Amino acid sequence: MVPNFEPKYYSALAANCQRSSSETCVVDSTLLKRLPFPYFHNYLPNAYLYPSNASSEGKPVLAFVHNPKSGGTTIKNCMLKIFRPNPPVLLSFKTAYTIRENLLNGDVHLDDYYMGDSTLGICDYGSSRPCSYFTMMREPYDRVVSHYYFCKDGGQSYPPCDNSLEDFVLDSCNLFFRQTTVRFNCKETVDHYCDDKRMCPHSWHCNATEVHVDNMAITQHERETILQYVVQNLDKMFTVIGLVEEFDTSLELFQDTLGGNFHEFCQGMRGNKGSYIHRENGSGSKILSREEEVEAAKRRLRSNENVRRCLSDDEKIYEKAKELFKLQKEELEKRKKAQKESKAN
């Protein structure tokens, strides 16, 4: 049965929190029932923390959620290399709504692989096949500095970088938090003018405009409640999470959980790297190294109260991602040790 994707309030959002015995579960479930926040139902949780769930669903759809300037271009190129006979479908904000619409109308079926910045939730629009969503994250201040200078070097970017670093950041606050809340309003329409009402053709139409936390009509308290939910359920939303700071280990984690030869084929790959060259007008200006430039830019941003507020949501999600990454890494080491001991015997 095709789910109803008209705007509505998802009471199931609070389910994990209500079932949890954790004392840290403080999400306001009553409030969540009233918020227009998407509840994704066809996804597999973290493979290391919930191994029984991850292994009992058959072959899932692999869907990479691209967080800008967080190793995403490298991972997408890696996926094109690994899955060459059946290349992943690219989902951008320009194509995401039409692909979802086509899935709902049965014009296409779910592919095996998706990648892009609008992938989260794609499996809710197709068959009952679950998605293994995975992503790469990066320390938010490091990410926005990289994004800005990548744009200054001529790289494609939204927002544009024809302004100061601070203004650029304020134009692109909390991108990852926004991605976790993206949905598309899709409505089913019926041709009521046909003779046999039982055979009247049905069709789905999806609005091209994304709905996300930054354009929902919600209060600051409601926004914070959604953020709490995302942080506390990050281990449910993603089958595995990688960190740019430990890129090669992240590839090992992807290979171990998703089945592709991520580490074998793609270690050492890097794409869309910025130069971080200091740009000062006039002669005799100091040329800073990459590390000096990054640290100077981050100090500027951290001294700006508006910027700190702008990136605070992504910082909280990133801190949770680091906790999960540590647990994933520990479990991976246990598996590698067990495999080594098994071979020795």
Side-chain angles (χ1 to χ4, degrees), residues 321-336:
K322 284 203 302 183
E323 292 178 17
L324 296 177
F325 187 87
K326 183 174 182 291
L327 295 173
Q328 293 174 162
K329 190 175 177 180
E330 290 172 354
E331 288 300 316
L332 177 64
E333 291 304 317
K334 290 178 183 178
R335 292 185 185 185
K336 290 165 67 175

Side-chain angles (χ1 to χ4, degrees), residues 302-326:
R302 290 186 184 279
S303 68
N304 187 306
E305 182 180 354
N306 290 330
V307 169
R308 291 198 304 272
R309 189 181 303 115
C310 168
L311 296 179
S312 62
D313 295 342
D314 271 6
E315 275 198 294
K316 292 172 183 175
I317 297 175
Y318 176 74
E319 289 303 315
K320 182 64 176 182
K322 284 203 302 183
E323 292 178 17
L324 296 177
F325 187 87
K326 183 174 182 291

Side-chain angles (χ1 to χ4, degrees), residues 4-10 36 183-187 211:
N4 184 357
F5 285 93
E6 294 186 39
K8 65 177 183 178
Y9 303 126
Y10 293 86
R183 64 181 172 86
F184 292 84
N185 290 338
C186 300
K187 293 185 178 181
V211 178

Side-chain angles (χ1 to χ4, degrees), residues 73-182:
T73 298
T74 302
I75 297 299
K76 289 193 292 185
N77 289 337
C78 184
M79 292 178 70
L80 290 172
K81 184 177 181 180
I82 294 171
F83 307 118
R84 189 171 298 169
N86 183 18
V89 175
L90 179 63
L91 281 172
S92 70
F93 70 94
K94 294 180 180 179
T95 63
Y97 78 97
T98 55
I99 291 176
R100 283 163 167 79
E101 188 174 276
N102 290 338
L103 285 169
L104 288 172
N105 286 319
D107 297 331
V108 297
H109 298 288
L110 275 173
D111 280 82
D112 291 331
Y113 313 107
Y114 290 90
M115 60 186 188
D117 51 15
S118 299
T119 56
L120 202 57
I122 189 63
C123 280
D124 290 352
Y125 294 78
S127 65
S128 59
R129 284 181 69 189
C131 265
S132 281
Y133 296 109
F134 64 108
T135 192
M136 289 286 290
M137 294 196 66
R138 186 175 188 175
E139 194 279 320
Y141 285 86
D142 197 38
R143 189 197 69 76
V144 293
V145 170
S146 174
H147 193 176
Y148 181 71
Y149 285 112
F150 168 72
C151 177
K152 285 293 188 182
D153 283 341
Q156 291 186 341
S157 170
Y158 182 83
C161 54
D162 53 353
N163 49 11
S164 69
L165 172 60
E166 288 83 354
D167 288 339
F168 176 82
V169 174
L170 293 174
D171 285 340
S172 56
C173 294
N174 296 309
L175 282 181
F176 191 78
F177 181 34
R178 184 188 306 171
Q179 282 183 304
T180 63
T181 64
V182 164

